Amino acid sequence: MLHHLRTKLSLLLILIPSIVFSADNISISNAFIKKPRPGVDVTAGFATINSNIELKVMKVSNKNFKNIELHSMKMNYGVMEMRKLTEPKLGPNSPLVLTPGSDHLMLFGINKELKSGEKVDLTFLFNDNKGKDITKVFKFTIK
Ligand SMILES: [Cu+2]
């Protein structure tokens, strides 16, 4: 009985710090960048970003690229149309889904050769609903 109680108490102690320090919980999955074709300095990136708080994506950057934008993609009379997304939102139960044929990251001006399997850090600048900056660095695999 006492042993059981002690287990519960220690479990509680382990859990407390994570509750206190993780006010925002932002995570990424399936993050990858298409390996650019030879001689082409533009490529696309994909991922699903989950957040437990309301966020807007303000900026995405990496030193190996001149510019990174978020785009939407729609079929219009048989033509693929891409549009720049301004400050796309995500939040609880509404992840930002970047997937081939739909919304995506567009990476311009690559100044380094990227190899398959290599990991690239992209820095995401978010704003929360009070306008506070939140910066996260996510790893993207070159595929
Ligand atoms: Cu695009």
Side-chain angles (χ1 to χ4, degrees), residues 6-136:
R6 212 176 274 156
T7 310
K8 268 192 180 163
L9 278 175
S10 58
L11 193 66
L12 198 64
L13 287 174
I14 293 164
L15 289 175
I16 287 168
S18 68
I19 293 163
V20 173
F21 295 114
S22 66
D24 63 79
N25 189 352
I26 307 165
S27 64
I28 198 162
S29 58
N30 300 321
F32 68 98
I33 293 169
K34 267 203 258 173
K35 187 178 144 70
R37 284 175 286 140
V40 178
D41 74 343
V42 178
T43 189
F46 308 98
T48 299
I49 304 173
N50 284 282
S51 172
N52 66 337
I53 57 167
E54 303 278 343
L55 292 174
K56 284 190 289 189
V57 183
M58 308 306 287
K59 194 176 161 48
V60 184
S61 59
N62 170 280
K63 61 180 181 349
N64 297 317
F65 298 92
K66 213 173 273 168
N67 189 29
I68 303 175
E69 295 178 355
L70 279 137
H71 284 182
S72 66
M73 191 185 254
K74 275 191 192 96
M75 207 49 133
N76 195 11
Y77 298 103
V79 179
M80 274 295 190
E81 276 190 356
M82 294 199 289
R83 247 177 228 155
K84 194 172 163 178
L85 291 168
T86 44
E87 303 178 0
K89 288 176 184 164
L90 63 151
N93 305 317
S94 61
L96 181 66
V97 181
L98 305 171
T99 187
S102 185
D103 295 352
H104 57 277
L105 287 166
M106 203 90 199
L107 304 101
F108 298 96
I110 303 152
N111 55 35
K112 186 195 167 214
E113 204 196 319
L114 301 168
K115 296 184 188 79
S116 289
E118 189 182 337
K119 295 230 189 329
V120 170
D121 286 335
L122 297 191
T123 303
F124 280 68
L125 174 66
F126 298 101
N127 265 9
D128 70 7
N129 56 11
K130 291 180 190 96
K132 193 186 95 180
D133 287 347
I134 297 170
T135 302
K136 294 277 168 188

